[in-house]
Amino acid sequence: GTGQFALAAAEVCEKVIAVDVSSLMLARLIEKRDRSEVTNLEAVSAGFLSYQHAGDPVDLVYSRFALHHLPDFWKVIALQRIADLLRPGGSLRLVDVVYNFDPPDAEGRIESWIAASMSADVEQGWTRAELAEHVRDEHSTFTWLLEPMMDRAGFDVVDASYDASGMFASYLCRRR
């Protein structure tokens, strides 16, 4: 992203590696980093499947609204790659669009979320069409599918929280 978390983390961490596939996001992050006094933040153009880690295992990976861009097959591969770069006991903090409802409830839950989240003005937020496009074209999955994927990749879920709409989940996981 644009570095809000990475810059804050750099103030208390020895080293931060900010990875993003978007050249626009990385450019904004680098601009912010270069205007600050931060010297321990490395910006890398890569993604879950292309990032090549060099050096010691890391303590923490933070992912916010990115994993849903991958189909489930590639989510598992990405989770395994994350586990492989974490030290044993290292943490994954994952926040994403993850459906916490049963399939028969999908239509009603998604419609309620769109109605509550949409804005008539694209400058003020997401439109109905954009929210519907997300559900149609992105690869968000169900909690009851994602959580076994995390387990299979070598993570224990330490904490999971789900928003009231059933559309978002936050996880704190530890690498076994």
Side-chain angles (χ1 to χ4, degrees):
T2 62
Q4 180 178 346
F5 179 80
L7 287 164
E11 293 180 14
V12 297
C13 295
E14 183 178 319
K15 180 178 181 179
V16 174
I17 304 168
V19 181
D20 203 307
V21 296
S22 168
S23 57
L24 178 62
M25 293 295 162
L26 281 175
R28 292 183 77 191
L29 164 66
I30 291 167
E31 181 182 304
K32 288 179 182 179
R33 179 198 63 194
D34 292 349
R35 283 194 321 245
S36 75
E37 296 182 21
V38 169
T39 60
N40 60 337
L41 192 154
E42 177 184 355
V44 178
S45 178
F48 290 114
L49 305 174
S50 60
Y51 174 70
Q52 297 295 317
H53 184 68
D56 293 333
V58 301
D59 295 317
L60 170 71
V61 171
Y62 175 74
S63 174
R64 183 171 175 255
F65 299 120
L67 195 62
H68 73 264
H69 293 291
L70 298 176
D72 285 353
F73 174 85
W74 293 110
K75 276 184 185 79
V76 176
I77 302 300
L79 288 165
Q80 183 63 65
R81 289 177 52 87
I82 292 168
D84 289 346
L85 66 89
L86 278 166
R87 68 168 171 74
S91 298
L92 166 62
R93 177 70 165 144
L94 176 66
V95 178
D96 219 316
V97 182
V98 186
Y99 305 135
N100 188 37
F101 48 78
D102 290 323
D105 300 327
E107 185 175 348
R109 287 293 193 112
I110 290 169
E111 180 53 40
S112 293
W113 172 68
I114 289 173
S117 303
M118 72 177 187
S119 172
D121 180 3
V122 72
E123 298 296 324
Q124 300 298 317
W126 299 96
T127 64
R128 171 177 279 284
E130 290 170 323
L131 293 165
E133 179 183 23
H134 172 88
V135 174
R136 183 181 63 247
D137 295 347
E138 297 289 343
H139 303 284
S140 300
T141 193
F142 290 99
T143 56
W144 45 269
L145 292 171
L146 182 61
E147 291 167 11
M149 289 181 206
M150 293 187 287
D151 177 64
R152 190 65 162 230
F155 289 103
D156 292 321
V157 175
V158 175
D159 183 63
S161 61
Y162 316 103
D163 82 319
S165 73
M167 299 296 290
F168 302 98
S170 298
Y171 295 98
L172 175 60
C173 303
R174 294 262 191 274
R175 179 182 175 249
R176 290 192 289 271

